[in-house]
């Protein structure tokens, strides 16, 4: 996918206002400028930032069409992918969870710079986020699937929709998780890479905990 293809995909698949386009462009500019201070994205992806990062995040939105009302929680938000992109594309409340101080500061600055009053940053580990029932949980390059579920299960209930980009290891990670976790799982192909996939899950439950009940 070229950069022109990436922008065309957004225009064709999402309802994006002129103001949102301007904010997306502003976000990309800020992200690239911040690369002089901290390594937020792989250097090799800079020339392809719209395809590799913006559309790679934005493609999650159509997968959440049937999600319940409520908050979107993004784990290990880092550069704001997909958390900031989601906050720019929708009005749903977004909570980004990040434990590294420089990245917490970067994300907090973005919320002010881009006027994202419906989004917030939790500075700390995922395990420290107060228990809740998110409508949607996302995580991009955060942790292998079994550890991801273990760290975040207190943020979900049976209605929570999990949208988890997993690159080329999606199927392997899903198989590794099945011994300890059950739920309704399926795999969606990424629009940015034919070899990459997104795990979509609902009703995720620990087999161990269910057995104890």
């Amino acid at each position: 996918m070229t950069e022109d293809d990436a922008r065309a995909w957004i225009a064709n698949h999402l309802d994006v206002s002129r103001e949102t386009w301007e904010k997306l462009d502003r976000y990309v500019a800020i992200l690239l400028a911040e690369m002089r201070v901290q390594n937020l994205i792989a250097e090799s992806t800079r020339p392809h930032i719209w395809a590799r990062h913006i559309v790679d995040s934005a493609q999650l939105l159509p997968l959440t069409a049937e999600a319940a009302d409520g908050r979107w929680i993004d784990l290990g938000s880092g550069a704001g992918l997909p958390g900031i992109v989601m906050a720019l594309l929708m009005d749903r409340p977004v909570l980004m969870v990040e434990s590294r101080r420089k990245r917490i500061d970067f994300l907090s600055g973005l919320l002010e710079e881009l006027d994202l009053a419906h989004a917030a940053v939790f500075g700390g580990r995922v395990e420290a986020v107060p228990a809740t029932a998110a409508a949607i949980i996302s995580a991009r390059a955060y942790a292998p699937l079994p550890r991801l579920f273990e760290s975040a299960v207190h943020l979900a209930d049976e209605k929570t929709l999990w949208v988890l980009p997993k690159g080329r290891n999606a199927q392997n990670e899903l198989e590794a998780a099945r011994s300890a976790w059950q739920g309704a799982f399926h795999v969606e192909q990424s629009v940015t890479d034919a070899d990459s996939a997104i795990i979509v899950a609902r009703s995720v439950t620990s087999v161990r905990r269910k057995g104890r009940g």
Side-chain angles (χ1 to χ4, degrees):
M1 176 180 283
T2 67
E3 295 296 86
D4 286 344
D5 289 340
R7 295 180 73 97
W9 187 93
I10 292 175
N12 291 333
H13 291 83
L14 304 174
D15 184 14
V16 180
S17 67
R18 180 176 178 179
E19 179 185 8
T20 298
W21 275 115
E22 290 172 352
K23 287 187 176 183
L24 284 168
D25 283 326
R26 179 64 180 147
Y27 168 54
V28 168
I30 294 170
L31 178 56
L32 292 175
E34 184 69 13
M35 285 289 287
R36 295 193 292 266
V37 179
Q38 56 179 316
N39 186 29
L40 293 169
I41 59 174
E43 187 66 32
S44 62
T45 66
R46 285 174 66 112
H48 316 289
I49 190 168
W50 278 88
R52 291 290 299 275
H53 298 294
I54 306 304
V55 170
D56 198 60
S57 296
Q59 68 176 320
L60 301 182
L61 191 55
L63 301 178
T64 66
E66 297 182 2
D69 292 337
R71 189 161 54 175
W72 183 311
I73 298 181
D74 183 42
L75 312 180
S77 293
L81 301 162
I84 290 291
V85 176
M86 292 300 102
L88 288 169
L89 293 174
M90 64 181 188
D91 295 329
R92 182 191 293 269
V94 176
L95 179 67
M96 292 174 284
V97 183
E98 176 56 50
S99 62
R100 290 162 288 188
R101 172 48 56 189
K102 282 188 176 180
R103 299 191 180 192
I104 294 167
D105 292 343
F106 173 67
L107 292 170
S108 298
L110 282 171
L111 299 187
E112 183 175 352
E113 177 74 22
L114 300 173
D115 191 25
L116 296 173
H118 60 295
V121 180
F122 178 91
R125 294 174 58 82
V126 170
E127 293 86 345
V129 180
T132 188
I136 302 163
I137 294 177
S138 61
R140 187 175 184 258
Y142 165 64
L145 200 59
R147 185 155 63 87
L148 188 161
F149 286 146
E150 187 67 39
S151 68
V153 68
H154 67 293
L155 305 178
D157 65 10
E158 70 279 358
K159 295 181 181 179
T160 299
L161 183 67
W162 304 69
V163 282
L164 309 169
K166 282 295 177 183
R168 302 179 181 190
N169 295 320
Q171 199 62 51
N172 290 338
E173 288 198 29
L174 184 54
E175 291 305 315
R178 286 188 185 278
S179 62
W181 298 92
Q182 64 182 25
F185 300 100
H186 72 275
V187 177
E188 295 278 348
Q189 182 176 314
S190 170
V191 302
T192 61
D193 183 347
D195 294 325
S196 294
I198 302 158
I199 294 173
V200 181
R202 198 188 289 271
S203 303
V204 174
T205 307
S206 167
V207 173
R208 181 176 64 254
R209 290 190 181 116
K210 186 168 184 177
R212 288 176 180 173

